[in-house]
């Protein structure tokens, strides 16, 4: 019942937002915030039961024999849903500040599709089998398209076409065949502890199927299917923040993790050499994306490439195929979400306050926007993995897993990418705080709107908070690998 | 007399009797009402027949109570039920939409005649489907073809005339080929009843006349079904006919010929000609692959909305044929299922186009730029049915693609990978051409300053009902799946 509610609430909210938008903006924003609050409360109310080992489940309908729409809450999905629903509240607060400060048009459409996208994310989180997951995966793609193309001008539409094109092509072209293959081979697509494919397929086919899954799940942005992510940066910043730091990209890596843990099974993959390539593909993406990020001049594009690299952290951690690393993968989704949403919020706040988008414009901006830049610095430190931020915790677990597996490729990649992360984030922090600003009229601005600052302060606090209070999340995710 | 025993006959007799009466009705509204009521009645009969089939009883009916090989037999099983639903459903929806749309395109005085032709086409198409007799099928085929030539040529667009001439020539060649084939088989077996033919043909199997007959029948019907490369009559016929006629014909006309083709092949030839299965598979599978790839590619570059969708229909026939050419239970299920699902998807797409045509004179992509703002409901329905055509999960189109890919996987090996790639590439091309419509409608500024209004409520309602059927049968496909499975097992049951 609670599961259904967490899907229906945002949908009802979407209708409410659409109707309230006709009355006035304040009423519409209230509906959004109330919906987000109720949803978070509903989702979080599932947590105690899942922590205690319960796996609430519900089946909606059997479409054809063996293929049903069904939901089941397991640790990974619980974490993802809890994260997305909680950050939706913060993001809604931020959206109010950003959208009003920027005087964006068609705000009702924006909030409506946002709610639908969140509903799709909940569906992905709680899906009990591959078919249900695929259903909501596509809904998420389609419902975010109007958000990405929000501005509606020629350039935006072209970028949005890349976004939609890459995600639909990969999902229909690769993921769907992979799913059908799984159903045909194993006779089921249920997410099952220990996997369902062991003994059903073997040899090079395993590597091939894994490839169909990994590149079919374009939302995870493993190179070469990462092009949509920088393209999607044309969206308004709140969209980039929640969807492209949390819901969409995390839906991607979440799906990959879920497929590896519950469909293949980590033991089965560990003894199948044809699946080894995944680790190298992810490691390559981490390094390559970091190098590209190093060369970016536009702040949002830099964050986009940083996201690509961080997503592959999760994929690589999963591909280490050791329990500790799987925990690290799950925790990294949370840690990265807090850090990256802060960074995006800060980028958006800078844009609203000053219309600045390029790195060289940020000299000395710390004095004008102290709250924003403090939050930005915290987010950046979390990306690098410096204590006391959340990024440190997840890196710790991933490294522990890598050492357990004696996987020196993974260890070397993590070290190299930490250096690269520092190389592109630290100069920004340094310039913002310690360089004098260029004289000029465009620098005559203050702090961003209150709601925007409030939101990014909250997420920065969460980034640090996660360093201190992460026991629940880790306890939850330990159940992922040992029931 | 219990009318339910006579349902199979009534399915055909009701529209036939209605046709002359409609000619007599001079008032166009009255003629429209009579036609629509007849069509809805036919739809109700089709539903009743389907209900019987689902309960496990195939309808068998002997005209005038003459027993089978001597008298005319009518037969309704799962496969026929799917077709009957598609034909009568499409006709009813198109007629309901025609209340608003037809006035624009057909002079009031000619409307009663037009409606009479419509109802004859309906009678002919249903007649083909219920007949269990090869010659009867030919007669109904001619009736439906002649009537649909009239329908296609009925609009104000003069370009319809060369299109219909092409349609007529190809249609006649197809029907003649079929007749020659049937004549040869009659010569060899002395029977026209399909079931009887199946029993008698082993005695003469592999003799030249039977082989020739198989060739004539296959090619003739493939021509009428617009199977690539025999499709060239189709795009223009669909493009220039009145909009609601396109709805009617696109949803069912070619599929009826496919139905006869599969019936004949699986009942009569499949097990009786040496190596036929292999020939059937190789021949049709390669044609289906070409149909999917080439027709979709043409649709990509087509600028006229109706012709784009017509090319997409050619591609969809490829999917249906691909499933059948696998010659397996799963393949045939997918095939029949796609007949049903594509009828809904293409029906609602063309209905949405008819809505657009209420406000736009031209139907090139450029003409409809910016239409979504003025016509949000029309475009909403168009997008929804477009998603179903692509095969996005949650829509009917997804279910048939799922079955089709599963059937392909059963083949295993390289061919499975190749065919999956073909299906996937075809779907992706569908994404592109549907998205071109969406981009023009939603993101381009309108071409002119003319005030565009949303289509009338009546036609919108019909469009949305059919569009929502795409969702309903995507979530709850029990009915079409049950029918398709029974159809597939009936067809496969004739292969020993």
């Amino acid at each position: 019942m609670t599961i259904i509610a967490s899907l229906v609430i945002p949908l009802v909210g979407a209708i409410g937002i659409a109707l309230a938008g006709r009355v006035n903006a304040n009423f519409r924003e209230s509906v959004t915030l109330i919906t987000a609050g109720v949803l978070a409360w509903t989702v979080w109310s599932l947590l105690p039961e899942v922590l205690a080992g319960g796996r609430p489940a519900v089946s909606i309908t059997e479409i054809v024999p063996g293929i049903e729409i069904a939901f089941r809450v397991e640790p990974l999905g619980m974490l993802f849903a809890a994260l997305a629903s909680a950050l939706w509240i913060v993001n809604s607060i931020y959206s109010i500040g950003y959208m009003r400060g920027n005087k964006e048009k068609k705000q009702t459409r924006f909030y409506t599709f946002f709610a639908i996208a969140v509903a799709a994310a909940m569906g992905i989180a709680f899906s009990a089998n591959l078919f249900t997951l695929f259903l909501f995966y596509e809904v998420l793609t389609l419902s975010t398209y109007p958000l990405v193309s929000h501005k509606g001008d020629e350039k935006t539409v072209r970028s949005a076409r890349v976004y939609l094109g890459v995600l639909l092509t990969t999902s229909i072209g690769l993921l769907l065949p992979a799913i059908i293959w799984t159903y045909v081979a194993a006779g089921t697509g249920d997410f099952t502890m220990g996997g369902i494919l062991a003994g059903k397929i073997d040899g090079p086919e395993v590597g091939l199927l894994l490839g169909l899954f990994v590149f079919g799940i374009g939302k995870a942005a493993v190179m070469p299917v990462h092009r949509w992510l920088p393209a999607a940066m044309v969206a308004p910043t709140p969209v980039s923040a929640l969807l492209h730091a949390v819901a969409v990209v995390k839906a991607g890596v979440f799906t990959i993790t879920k497929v590896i843990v519950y469909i293949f099974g980590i033991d089965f993959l560990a003894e199948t050499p044809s699946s080894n390539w995944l680790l190298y593909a992810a490691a390559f993406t981490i390094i390559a994306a970091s190098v590209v990020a190093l060369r970016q001049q536009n702040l949002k594009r830099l964050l986009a490439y940083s996201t690509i690299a961080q997503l592959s952290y999760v994929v690589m951690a999963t591909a280490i195929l050791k329990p500790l690393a799987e925990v690290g993968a799950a925790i990294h989704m949370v840690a990265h979400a807090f850090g990256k949403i802060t960074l995006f919020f800060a980028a958006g706040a800078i844009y609203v306050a000053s219309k600045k988008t390029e790195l060289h414009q940020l000299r000395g901006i710390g004095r004008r926007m102290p709250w924003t830049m403090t939050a930005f610095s915290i987010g950046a430190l979390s990306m690098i993995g410096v204590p006391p931020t959340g990024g440190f915790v997840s890196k710790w677990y991933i490294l522990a897993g890598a050492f357990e597996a004696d996987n020196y490729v993974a260890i070397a990649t993590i070290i190299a990418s930490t250096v690269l992360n520092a190389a592109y984030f630290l100069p920004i922090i340094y310039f913002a705080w310690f360089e004098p600003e260029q004289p000029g009229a465009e620098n005559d601005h203050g702090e961003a709107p209150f709601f925007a600052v409030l939101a990014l302060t909250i997420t920065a606090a969460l980034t640090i908070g996660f360093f201190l209070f992460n026991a629940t999340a880790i306890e939850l995710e330990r159940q992922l690998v040992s029931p | 007399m219990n009318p339910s025993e006579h349902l199979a006959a009534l399915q055909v007799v009701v529209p036939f009797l209605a046709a002359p009466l409609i000619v007599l009705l001079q008032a166009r509204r009255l003629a429209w009402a009579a036609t629509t009521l007849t069509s809805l009645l036919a739809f109700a009969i089709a539903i009743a027949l389907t209900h019987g089939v689902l309960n496990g009883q195939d309808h068998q009916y002997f005209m005038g109570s003459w027993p089978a090989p001597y008298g005319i037999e009518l037969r309704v099983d799962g496969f026929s039920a799917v077709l009957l639903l598609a034909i009568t459903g499409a006709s009813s929806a198109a007629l309901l939409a025609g209340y608003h749309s037809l006035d624009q395109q057909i002079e009031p005085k000619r409307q009663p005649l037009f409606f009479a032709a419509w109802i004859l086409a309906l009678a002919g198409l249903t007649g083909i489907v219920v007949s269990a007799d090869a010659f009867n099928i030919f007669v109904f085929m001619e009736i439906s073809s002649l009537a649909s030539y009239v329908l296609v040529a009925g609009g104000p667009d003069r370009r319809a005339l060369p299109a219909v001439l092409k349609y007529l020539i190809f249609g006649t060649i197809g029907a003649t080929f079929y007749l020659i084939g049937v004549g040869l088989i009659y010569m060899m077996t002395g029977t026209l009843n399909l079931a009887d033919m199946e029993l008698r043909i082993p005695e003469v199997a592999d003799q030249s006349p039977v082989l020739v007959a198989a060739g004539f029948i296959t090619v003739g019907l493939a021509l009428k079904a617009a199977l690539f490369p025999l499709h060239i009559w189709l795009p223009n016929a669909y493009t220039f006919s009145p909009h609601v006629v396109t709805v009617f014909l696109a949803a069912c006309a070619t599929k009826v010929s496919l139905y006869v083709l599969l019936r004949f092949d699986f009942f009569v030839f499949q097990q009786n000609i040496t190596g036929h299965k292999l020939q059937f598979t190789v021949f049709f599978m390669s044609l289906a692959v070409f149909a999917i790839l080439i027709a979709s590619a043409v649709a990509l570059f087509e600028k006229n909305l109706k012709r784009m969708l017509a090319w997409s229909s050619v591609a969809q026939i490829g999917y249906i044929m691909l499933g059948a050419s696998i010659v397996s239970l799963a393949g045939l299920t997918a095939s029949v299922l796609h007949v049903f699902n594509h009828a809904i998807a293409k029906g609602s797409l063309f209905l949405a186009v008819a809505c657009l045509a209420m406000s736009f004179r031209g139907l090139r992509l450029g003409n409809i730029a910016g239409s979504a703002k003025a016509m949000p409901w029309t475009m909403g329905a168009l997008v929804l049915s477009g998603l179903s055509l692509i095969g996005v999960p949650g829509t009917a189109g997804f279910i048939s693609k799922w079955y089709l890919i599963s059937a392909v996987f059963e083949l295993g090996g390289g061919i499975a990978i190749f065919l999956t790639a073909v299906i996937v590439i075809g779907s992706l091309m569908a994404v592109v051409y549907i998205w071109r419509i969406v981009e023009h409608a939603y993101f381009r500024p309108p071409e002119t300053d003319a005030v565009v209004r949303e289509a009338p409520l009546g036609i919108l309602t019909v469009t949305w009902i059919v569009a929502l059927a795409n969702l309903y049968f995507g979530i709850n496909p029990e009915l079409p799946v049950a029918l398709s499975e029974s159809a597939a097992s009936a067809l496969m049951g004739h292969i020993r």
Side-chain angles (χ1 to χ4, degrees):
Chain A
M1 200 53 231
T2 326
I3 303 176
I4 311 252
S6 45
L7 266 90
V8 173
I9 289 168
L11 287 180
V12 172
I15 297 168
I17 292 165
L19 295 177
R22 298 185 177 183
V23 184
N24 76 35
N26 286 335
F27 183 39
R28 179 188 65 207
E29 262 77 307
S30 315
V31 175
T32 307
L33 282 174
I34 291 169
T35 312
V38 174
L39 175 68
W41 186 81
T42 313
V43 171
W44 282 75
S45 73
L46 282 164
L47 186 60
E49 185 183 349
V50 179
L51 262 180
R55 298 288 180 267
V58 59
S59 172
I60 308 292
T61 168
E62 190 164 43
I63 293 208
V64 290
I67 300 168
E68 56 177 355
I69 297 182
F71 301 99
R72 184 166 168 275
V73 186
E74 42 70 55
L76 199 58
M78 184 67 236
L79 189 71
F80 179 45
L83 178 70
S85 62
L87 287 180
W88 189 29
I89 305 179
V90 189
N91 194 276
S92 304
I93 298 173
Y94 180 80
S95 298
I96 297 170
Y98 181 92
M99 299 301 276
R100 291 190 179 179
N102 245 353
K103 303 196 176 54
E104 295 273 352
K105 289 178 195 141
K106 295 186 179 164
Q107 293 194 20
T108 305
R109 184 180 79 178
F110 175 84
Y111 288 110
T112 308
F113 278 100
F114 217 119
I116 298 175
V118 171
M122 294 300 126
I124 293 175
F126 291 149
S127 53
N129 55 46
L130 281 171
F131 174 78
T132 314
L133 189 138
F134 186 67
L135 193 73
F136 286 98
Y137 184 93
E138 295 293 56
V139 174
L140 185 60
T141 307
L142 294 173
S143 62
T144 46
Y145 174 78
L147 296 174
V148 174
S149 63
H150 184 83
K151 241 179 179 170
D153 58 9
E154 186 75 19
K155 179 170 164 274
T156 312
V157 171
R158 210 175 319 125
S159 291
R161 197 188 293 159
V162 174
Y163 174 76
L164 192 74
V166 172
L167 289 185
L168 274 186
T169 309
T170 50
S171 67
I172 295 181
L174 304 171
L175 179 57
L176 182 59
I179 290 176
I180 298 182
W181 187 355
T182 307
Y183 271 94
V184 171
T188 170
D190 290 348
F191 295 120
T192 312
M193 202 73 192
I196 53 174
L197 281 171
K200 301 290 183 4
I201 59 172
D202 53 9
E205 286 186 347
V206 181
L208 182 64
L209 181 59
L210 185 65
L212 287 178
F213 271 118
V214 169
F215 295 114
I217 301 167
K219 291 192 171 106
V222 176
M223 281 181 181
V225 289
H226 65 286
R227 281 286 310 281
W228 63 269
L229 209 154
M233 287 305 142
V234 297
T237 308
V239 176
S240 312
L242 182 65
L243 298 180
H244 299 119
V246 187
V248 173
V249 293
K250 292 295 145 57
V253 288
F254 165 80
T255 308
I256 289 187
T257 311
K258 215 164 169 176
V259 163
I260 288 179
V261 174
Y262 293 125
I263 296 295
F264 286 99
I266 54 174
D267 295 335
F268 172 55
L269 275 190
E271 64 202 29
T272 315
S274 69
S275 66
N276 287 352
W277 63 268
L278 180 59
L279 185 92
Y280 300 104
F284 173 79
T285 306
I286 294 174
I287 300 296
S290 301
V291 171
V292 177
L294 206 51
R295 302 165 48 86
Q296 296 302 316
Q297 286 304 314
N298 179 295
L299 182 55
K300 270 181 89 178
R301 284 186 73 83
L302 181 143
L303 294 181
Y305 279 100
S306 156
T307 304
I308 296 174
Q310 297 287 334
L311 291 174
S312 277
Y313 262 84
V314 180
V315 177
M316 187 178 80
T318 314
I320 290 171
L321 302 173
K322 285 286 173 195
L324 274 180
E326 304 300 331
V327 175
I331 298 300
H332 194 63
M333 284 187 218
V334 182
H336 173 248
F338 290 152
K340 195 45 78 51
I341 202 169
T342 311
L343 288 170
F344 273 118
F345 280 172
I350 294 170
Y351 177 71
V352 174
S354 68
K355 300 289 169 210
K356 287 174 182 169
T357 54
E358 306 300 308
L359 294 186
H360 65 83
Q361 297 172 318
L362 299 183
R363 280 168 197 273
I365 201 168
R367 260 155 276 168
R368 290 200 179 269
M369 308 181 68
W371 288 91
T372 303
M373 288 317 289
T374 307
F376 185 93
S377 308
I378 293 170
L381 291 178
S382 178
M383 290 300 118
I384 304 168
V386 183
T389 58
F392 175 76
V393 183
S394 51
K395 258 188 194 166
W396 178 276
Y397 274 91
I398 298 174
L399 272 174
F403 275 112
E404 192 187 1
D406 286 332
N407 194 326
Y408 295 105
V409 176
I411 296 167
T413 309
I414 293 171
I415 294 170
S417 100
T418 305
V419 173
L420 286 166
N421 286 346
Y424 59 80
F425 274 123
L426 290 181
I428 305 177
I429 300 176
Y430 176 80
F431 280 121
W433 291 111
F434 302 114
E435 287 273 315
E437 69 182 17
Q438 309 272 318
E442 80 273 12
N443 281 334
D444 189 22
H445 60 82
E447 190 53 274
F450 169 73
F451 281 118
V453 175
L454 175 65
L456 60 88
T457 311
I458 296 174
T459 55
L462 285 170
T463 310
I464 294 180
F466 193 66
F467 176 77
L468 303 169
F469 309 103
N470 51 35
T472 313
I474 288 172
E475 191 191 330
L476 184 65
E477 293 319 306
R478 279 191 184 281
Q479 297 181 9
L480 180 65
V481 277
S482 53
Chain B
M1 176 184 114
N2 180 0
S4 70
E5 288 170 14
H6 300 278
L7 278 176
L10 286 173
Q11 179 80 78
V12 188
V13 171
V14 168
F16 259 124
L17 289 180
L21 296 177
I22 288 166
V23 180
L24 296 178
L25 295 172
Q26 287 299 315
R28 68 195 164 92
R29 287 294 181 228
L30 214 56
W32 174 81
T35 314
T36 311
L37 276 180
T38 315
S39 176
L40 285 172
L41 184 59
F43 190 36
I45 295 174
I47 291 175
L49 283 168
T50 309
H51 188 73
V53 170
L54 281 177
N55 289 339
Q57 52 176 103
D58 290 2
H59 294 262
Q60 214 178 358
Y61 187 83
F62 301 103
M63 293 302 267
S65 300
W66 290 90
Y70 312 107
I72 294 170
E73 183 193 354
L74 304 182
R75 186 191 277 269
V76 176
D77 62 6
F79 199 0
S80 347
V82 169
L83 264 300
L84 287 179
L85 287 178
I87 296 166
T88 55
S91 160
S92 307
L95 281 168
L96 287 170
Y99 180 82
H100 294 291
S101 176
L102 278 174
D103 278 353
Q104 230 185 10
Q105 295 189 296
I106 295 174
E107 304 156 38
K109 260 169 54 185
R110 281 181 30 233
Q111 283 197 10
L113 290 171
F114 177 83
F115 284 126
W118 185 297
I119 215 72
L120 278 176
L122 175 67
L125 290 170
T126 48
I128 297 174
V129 174
V130 296
S131 296
D133 175 300
F135 187 74
N136 232 18
I137 289 176
F138 170 73
V139 174
F140 283 122
M141 199 184 280
E142 283 298 277
I143 294 173
S144 69
S145 304
L146 291 173
S148 52
Y149 304 145
V150 176
L151 293 182
V152 172
D157 197 330
R158 293 178 65 84
R159 287 171 297 179
L161 297 177
V164 87
L165 190 65
K166 211 189 227 175
Y167 184 17
L168 184 137
I169 292 171
F170 278 95
T172 311
I173 295 175
T176 312
F177 272 31
Y178 174 76
L179 186 63
I180 293 173
V182 171
L184 286 168
I185 293 192
Y186 183 63
M187 183 179 89
M188 300 305 287
T189 60
T191 182
L192 288 169
N193 185 295
L194 284 178
D196 204 31
M197 223 180 254
E198 188 188 349
L199 293 177
R200 294 192 189 195
I201 211 160
E203 297 162 19
V204 291
D206 285 333
Q207 294 194 18
S208 316
V210 176
L211 296 180
V212 173
F216 268 112
I217 289 175
T218 309
V219 174
L221 290 172
L223 220 171
K224 292 207 70 103
L227 182 63
F228 183 91
L230 304 172
H231 63 279
I232 45 172
W233 58 267
L234 184 141
N236 275 355
Y238 281 12
T239 309
F240 298 121
S241 56
H243 307 304
V244 292
V245 172
T246 315
V247 175
F248 180 29
L249 295 183
C252 59
T254 56
K255 297 181 189 106
V256 170
S257 304
L258 272 181
Y259 163 87
V260 182
L261 177 62
L262 293 183
R263 276 254 136 130
F264 233 107
D265 246 300
F266 279 83
F267 281 30
V268 181
F269 298 135
Q270 198 61 275
Q271 77 277 30
N272 290 319
I273 297 180
T274 320
H276 182 265
K277 185 177 163 186
L278 186 67
Q279 281 177 14
F280 182 84
T281 302
V282 171
F283 183 61
F284 279 120
M285 199 177 274
S286 36
L287 289 188
V289 168
F290 281 123
I292 295 171
L293 294 181
I294 295 177
S296 304
V298 175
L300 282 187
F301 297 103
E302 188 52 63
K303 290 206 172 59
N304 182 304
L305 204 51
K306 277 177 90 179
R307 202 187 275 123
M308 175 198 284
L309 295 177
W311 278 105
S312 145
S313 282
V314 177
Q316 303 296 323
I317 293 162
Y319 288 113
I320 298 172
M321 220 45 232
L322 181 63
S325 70
I326 297 171
V327 194
S328 72
L329 211 54
L332 283 166
T333 309
S335 186
V336 181
L337 199 55
H338 201 54
V339 168
F340 185 88
N341 289 338
H342 175 248
I344 303 176
K346 208 32 96 40
S348 56
L349 272 172
F350 274 120
L351 279 169
V353 170
C355 290
L356 277 176
M358 296 297 296
S359 305
F360 292 94
R361 281 182 62 82
L363 283 175
R364 297 172 76 79
L365 282 178
N367 298 132
I368 63 152
S371 54
K373 204 173 178 88
M375 309 178 75
W377 289 99
T378 301
M379 284 311 299
L382 197 144
V383 171
L384 180 56
S385 8
L387 293 179
S388 177
L389 187 73
I390 295 167
V392 172
T395 61
F398 175 75
I399 306 290
S400 37
K401 290 260 164 77
W402 177 284
Y403 270 85
L404 191 56
I405 296 186
S406 306
V408 165
F409 265 106
E410 275 184 10
L411 285 173
I415 189 79
I417 295 173
F418 172 71
L419 292 177
T420 311
V422 169
I423 297 170
V424 162
I425 293 170
S427 309
L428 291 175
M429 286 200 266
V431 173
V432 177
Y433 57 74
I434 292 297
W435 217 258
R436 283 179 68 210
I437 306 178
V438 172
E439 271 193 10
H440 274 89
Y442 283 88
F443 296 111
R444 297 280 170 91
E447 251 185 357
T448 57
D449 297 335
V451 180
V452 176
R453 257 192 248 139
E454 182 59 284
L457 187 63
I459 186 168
L460 266 186
T461 315
V462 180
T463 309
W464 267 95
I465 290 174
V466 184
L468 287 176
N470 280 303
L471 276 187
Y472 177 79
F473 289 114
I475 307 280
N476 185 9
E478 207 177 313
L479 167 79
V481 167
L483 287 174
S484 308
E485 277 173 349
S486 100
S489 57
L491 288 172
M492 287 304 287
H494 291 264
I495 296 188
R496 286 185 286 270

